[in-house]
Amino acid sequence: MVTNRTVTITDNTTGDTVECPIIEGTHGAPVISIKGLYPALGMFTHDPGFGATSSCNSTITYIDGDKGILLYRGYPIEQLAEKSSYLEVCYLLLFGELPAPEEFARFSAKIRQHSMVHEGMRTMIGGYRQDAHPMGMLVGLVGSLSTFYHDSLDINDPEHRVLSAYRVIAKMPTLAADIYKYHLGQPFNYPVNSLGYVNNFMRMMYAVPAEPFQISPTAVKALELMLILHADHEQNTSTSTVRLAGSSGANPFACIAAGIATLWGPAHGGANEAVIHMLNEIGEAKNIARFLDRAKDKDDPFRLMGFGHRVYKNFDPRATIIRQACHDLLGELDAGAQQAPLFEVAQELEQIALSDDYFKERNLYPNVDFYSGIILSALNITVNMFTVMFAMARSVGWIAQWMEMMVDAEQRIGRPRQLYTGAAKRDYVLKRDRED
Ligand code: ACO
C-alpha cells in the first residue's frame, strides 16, 4: 500500500531532488519506490546480488529473517509442518487458502489425473548417460514437457496456466523417480493413482518387479515433511529466475527448467548434496576444528556448507524442524541408524560454529540444507538425488509465483541496468595495425 510517507533523494552536487513514495506491505520492511529516480536525477540504483532490492509484489510467502519466521499465505511453517500434507500445502500456495474437504478432493483428483508422463519422455531418458547428474537430466526433461504438452502453453489463458501447474506438480515425482530408476538400471514404475502423492512417489522410487513393495508410514511422514518445508521461499535465487524467465513470456515448463538449473548451484539448493560430502569428509568430531579454520580463512574458497543465508540472520526455522525430525524419526527409518554418526557430527559442528566469534559476528546459522541430507539418506535416497528432491518440492512454489506474476498489473519484462566499467568508446583498429 502506498503511504503518505516519502524519502527525498538529493544529488548534493546539483541540488536536484526527487521525492520517492514509501510503500508498505502486510509485514516486513517498507520499500522505497525508485521509479522516479532516473527521470529526475539521471541515475539508477546499484545493488549487486539484489541484497536491498524488492523485485515484485507477492502474497504467497513471508520471511522475517531476524526473527526466524516463515509463513506460507500467512500460516506459520511450524503449524503446516505438523498438521498439513504436501498436497494441501500445494493448494494453499497456488490458490491462497486452505482447501475445504470437497475442494481438496477435486484438487487431488486433478493432480492424480496428470501423474503419468508421455512415453516419449522415457525414450528421452534412455538417451542420457547412465552416470548423468540427475539435476542435469531434470533440467532437460522439465523443459521438454513444453514439447509434449502443447495444449497448456497459452500463458494468457488462465485455464492453461492452471493446467500447467497441475502438470508440473503431478509429473515431477514421476520424472524424479524415472531418473532415479534409470541411474540404478532398474525398470521404471508407472504411477498408481489410488495411492497418496507421497506414497505413490516412494513406490515409483523403490518398488522392483521381483519383490512385494512396502513402505513404512514413518518414511512417508518424513518425506511429506521435507516436501512441505521446501515448498516455497519467496524471492530466492531460483524463484527469481523463474519470474525473470516468465517475464519474457516464456512458457511455464521452460521457466521451471530455468529455476531447476539455478537451484542446482551449491550456494543454493545444491548445498544439500555438498553438506553430506562435507560431513563425510569431516568424518569425526575431532576434525571439525580444521574445517572451521578453513571456512574462516579468506584465502580458502571452502565455506561451511549448509550455513548462512541471505535473509535469515537468526535461525532458519526449517533447519530447526528438520533437526528435530532427525531426533524423532532416524531411529524408525530403515537406513536411519547408519545416519546417526553423521547426525552427531552435524550437531557437534553446529554447536562449535555457533559459539565461534566468526560465525556469531556474521549471524551464520544452519540453513534448511544442513540437516535435510541426513533425513534423505535415511530414506535411502542417493546423494546425487538430493537436489532433485528439493526441486520436486519447490516446483509448486515456482509455479505459484509464476501464476501470481502473470496476473500482476505491475509485471513488466525483467531487465536490470548495469554500471558499465569497460573500455571507453574507441575506434576499430585493423588487424595489420594492431601491436603484438
Ligand atoms: N562459511 C563461511 N563463511 C561464510 C559462510 C559459510 N557458509 N556464509 C557466509 N560467510 C561469510 C562470508 O565470507 C562473508 O564474510 P565477510 O563479511 O568477512 O566477507 C559473510 O559471511 C557474509 O556472507 P555473504 O556471502 O556476503 O552472504 P550472502 O548473503 O551473499 O550469501 C549464502 C548467502 C550464499 C547462503 C552463503 O551464506 C553461503 O555460501 N553459504 C553456504 C552455501 C549454502 O549453504 N547455501 C544454501 C543456502 S539456503 C538455500 O539456498 C536453499
Side-chain angles (χ1 to χ4, degrees):
M1 180 186 64
V2 179
T3 62
N4 52 15
R5 292 162 61 203
T6 57
V7 164
T8 304
I9 301 175
T10 306
D11 179 338
N12 291 329
T13 311
T14 62
D16 291 340
T17 65
V18 58
E19 292 262 307
C20 298
I22 295 181
I23 307 173
E24 273 177 5
T26 318
H27 287 307
V31 300
I32 303 166
S33 170
I34 44 110
K35 276 186 197 156
L37 191 66
Y38 183 75
L41 303 186
M43 292 183 218
F44 298 117
T45 52
H46 184 62
D47 181 23
F50 311 116
T53 299
S54 148
S55 62
C56 62
N57 302 302
S58 186
T59 59
I60 301 176
T61 294
Y62 173 71
I63 304 173
D64 184 328
D66 296 325
K67 297 195 183 122
I69 291 171
L70 169 60
L71 312 175
Y72 293 166
R73 299 285 190 181
Y75 295 102
I77 191 66
E78 292 80 1
Q79 293 180 22
L80 293 168
E82 188 193 332
K83 298 177 180 157
S84 193
S85 67
Y86 176 68
L87 217 47
E88 186 177 70
V89 166
C90 287
Y91 185 98
L92 175 69
L93 290 170
L94 286 175
F95 303 115
E97 297 297 335
L98 288 169
E102 279 290 297
E103 286 169 326
F104 183 70
R106 277 198 299 273
F107 177 66
S108 39
K110 281 282 174 205
I111 299 297
R112 280 198 298 274
Q113 185 189 330
H114 293 287
S115 60
M116 285 172 64
V117 294
H118 193 289
E119 284 296 304
M121 298 210 70
R122 293 189 153 169
T123 312
M124 277 187 69
I125 292 177
Y128 285 98
R129 281 173 58 136
Q130 202 174 350
D131 61 355
H133 195 288
M135 281 298 278
M137 293 173 71
L138 194 67
V139 172
L141 291 170
V142 172
S144 301
L145 288 172
S146 57
T147 66
F148 289 97
Y149 298 99
H150 297 143
D151 59 337
S152 62
L153 295 184
D154 181 355
I155 59 166
N156 297 313
D157 181 333
E159 284 181 18
H160 280 217
R161 293 198 294 265
V162 172
L163 180 55
S164 292
Y166 291 159
R167 283 184 166 146
V168 166
I169 296 165
K171 293 183 196 305
M172 281 295 273
T174 314
L175 289 176
D178 285 358
I179 290 171
Y180 187 63
K181 286 298 195 191
Y182 182 68
H183 172 69
L184 295 181
Q186 293 180 1
F188 300 135
N189 289 313
Y190 285 97
V192 171
N193 286 345
S194 56
L195 297 174
Y197 186 87
V198 176
N199 278 55
N200 194 10
F201 169 68
M202 293 184 115
R203 193 194 140 276
M204 287 191 285
M205 285 281 279
Y206 302 125
V208 289
E211 300 283 342
F213 172 73
Q214 267 193 323
I215 190 81
S216 81
T218 311
V220 175
K221 185 176 164 192
L223 189 58
E224 188 104 44
L225 176 74
M226 299 302 287
L227 296 180
I228 293 172
L229 296 180
H230 288 82
D232 193 47
H233 214 228
E234 51 119 306
Q235 307 313 317
N236 60 84
T237 320
S238 54
T239 302
S240 297
T241 304
V242 169
R243 280 185 178 260
L244 200 55
S247 79
S248 75
N251 73 69
F253 304 118
C255 297
I256 304 296
I260 295 169
T262 310
L263 187 75
W264 194 0
H268 192 14
N272 58 10
E273 189 177 332
V275 169
I276 288 292
H277 291 310
M278 178 188 78
L279 292 175
N280 277 320
E281 221 187 313
I282 294 174
E284 292 176 65
K286 68 175 179 12
N287 300 325
I288 290 174
R290 187 157 49 84
F291 280 83
L292 285 188
D293 287 345
R294 283 190 63 197
K296 293 189 278 184
D297 180 355
K298 294 292 172 203
D299 296 324
D300 188 331
F302 175 78
R303 282 192 166 198
L304 206 55
M305 298 314 288
F307 255 76
H309 197 274
R310 171 62 63 79
V311 183
Y312 292 118
K313 298 302 173 195
N314 196 317
F315 63 97
D316 176 340
R318 301 167 302 171
T320 310
I321 296 171
I322 301 178
R323 194 209 298 111
Q324 189 56 46
C326 288
H327 280 297
D328 296 346
L329 302 177
L330 278 191
E332 295 178 44
L333 294 172
D334 280 353
Q338 288 162 29
Q339 300 309 314
L342 220 56
F343 183 41
E344 269 176 36
V345 172
Q347 287 180 99
E348 185 79 21
L349 177 58
E350 177 183 355
Q351 284 313 312
I352 298 175
L354 293 186
S355 55
D356 186 298
D357 284 344
Y358 175 95
F359 292 90
K360 282 203 283 193
E361 281 158 15
R362 291 169 179 76
N363 296 315
L364 300 171
Y365 290 83
N367 59 50
V368 67
D369 293 317
F370 191 65
Y371 288 109
S372 65
I374 293 173
I375 292 270
L376 294 175
S377 297
L379 290 170
N380 273 320
I381 293 171
T382 51
V383 176
N384 63 357
M385 283 292 291
F386 285 4
T387 317
V388 170
M389 304 306 298
F390 192 156
M392 188 175 117
R394 183 57 58 83
S395 57
V396 65
W398 289 327
I399 199 82
Q401 299 267 351
W402 176 82
M403 281 172 50
E404 179 178 65
M405 183 190 79
M406 294 308 294
V407 293
D408 183 348
E410 278 195 359
Q411 197 291 112
R412 303 167 69 196
I413 187 163
R415 205 314 185 176
R417 300 297 185 135
Q418 64 169 10
L419 179 64
Y420 175 69
T421 57
K425 182 173 178 293
R426 49 190 170 164
D427 289 323
Y428 185 80
V429 181
L430 291 174
K431 211 178 277 156
R432 64 167 184 267
D433 297 333
R434 291 176 214 157
E435 286 177 17
D436 277 334

